[in-house]
Amino acid sequence: MNDLALLLTPEGRALLDEVRDIAPADELAVATRLRRDHPAALVSAALGQARLRQRAAAKFGAADAGRMFFTPNGVEQSTRTSVAAYRAERLKNLGVTSVADLCCGIGGDAIAFARAGIRVLAVDRDPLTAATARANAEALGLGELIEVREADVTRVETGGYDAVFVDPARRGGRGRVFDPEAYSPPLSWAIEAARTAPRAALKVAPGIPHEAVPADAEAEWVSDGGDVKEAVLWFGTEPGAVRATLLPGPRTLRGTGLPDPGVRPVGRYLYEPDGAVIRAHLVAEVAEQLDGGLIDPTIAYVTADAPRPTPYASAYEITDHLPFNVKKLKALLRERGVGTLTVKKRGSAVEPEELRRKVKPQGPNAATVFLTRVAGAPAMLVGRPV
């Protein structure tokens, strides 16, 4: 709290501007110089905040991160701006004009809601986190739309809001928490809070078991640039619906209840579904689009005979199908002059770096090798992106 208070003073803000682009290697020399004219505590706080802002730029963009305030946990746990903006836009399109953002953290989601024109009550029980969220709302000129309240979210009345958004803490003293009932607050509480509002969205870990999704919720898995970021349980939308949303876009694939695809021999093309598609159990929907099948009943690779563009999977043309044998792969790569080797694995215990060391790729050409199983047998598929 003292660090944030120091940084919010005119002297603190000026110092933050001065150390904005300091490289880590220069910190000691800069700190020594600045302590001649500024209190040591303020210099330390400013340099620490500069480091956090540099880390946060990947999530928030350099322009916003350069004006915002962060805590270490806040940088780690906050939602990427592109994902938060997508969710805010969806709420706006559902007619939401006000939202209670429970467990608001440093305010990343609240900022996205406000920028979509939604009035926000942002609640967090940690004093420093709530103060940081308030400072961020002011720093970005959104103070009139965002009310920040330091309180226990389980005791906050949300009846006057169109929607509830809950982002429970999924980290504890020992790291990431995987049991939804070990979230803070527990998922069961968040679900009941969601059911009291006309609309609601609960942010959960993408690894949430499908059987843990309530029957009256819609489940959406979201990826950004190919990386799965989160799952969201929506209430007041389409109970039982399942979707995978890919950003940028957005592009959304809806579940249609198809059975698992059949297994077929490896064809000329291999498709690697986006992680959100896999997490949402929508590989069958992609296989139907591609007129393809699985290479193995337990592996989420789709094979087909024709190239068909789809945003929901990356396509590769397969040139070689080998049983798992490192010596044969090394000989093949040497024959093809492959020096740039991308290694992907699914259903294999072999580590990519270990394989690269053994095959020692050399040459001007590039290839991708898939370490996987085909009809139950360990295999290597060699190809190139389409």
Side-chain angles (χ1 to χ4, degrees), residues 199-352:
R199 311 277 191 189
L202 310 184
K203 178 179 171 181
V204 294
I208 185 172
H210 280 236
E211 56 269 24
V213 176
D216 56 338
E218 171 198 331
E220 179 180 35
W221 279 260
V222 181
S223 69
D224 186 19
D227 295 329
V228 183
K229 294 301 180 184
E230 63 181 48
V232 184
L233 305 183
W234 293 89
F235 292 79
T237 54
E238 301 176 68
V242 176
R243 62 169 71 194
T245 295
L246 282 55
L247 303 175
R251 296 180 175 90
T252 296
L253 179 67
R254 296 173 55 88
T256 57
L258 291 176
D260 291 340
V263 176
R264 52 151 290 175
V266 176
R268 184 175 177 183
Y269 297 93
L270 187 75
Y271 292 85
E272 182 182 26
D274 184 270
V277 170
I278 296 173
R279 293 283 195 176
H281 295 180
L282 299 181
V283 174
E285 280 72 7
V286 170
E288 183 181 55
Q289 289 183 4
L290 301 171
D291 192 22
L294 299 180
I295 63 171
D296 184 276
T298 64
I299 303 295
Y301 284 139
V302 176
T303 187
D305 296 318
R308 296 191 178 182
T310 173
Y312 304 111
S314 300
Y316 297 83
E317 184 178 11
I318 299 302
T319 56
D320 301 273
H321 174 190
L322 308 170
F324 184 83
N325 186 302
V326 175
K327 288 185 178 179
K328 288 185 178 180
L329 178 64
K330 183 176 181 179
L332 176 67
L333 297 176
R334 185 170 58 246
E335 177 187 331
R336 303 280 171 79
V338 172
T340 302
L341 183 65
T342 300
V343 182
K344 292 178 172 286
K345 54 174 278 185
R346 188 163 291 161
S348 172
V350 178
E351 291 301 323

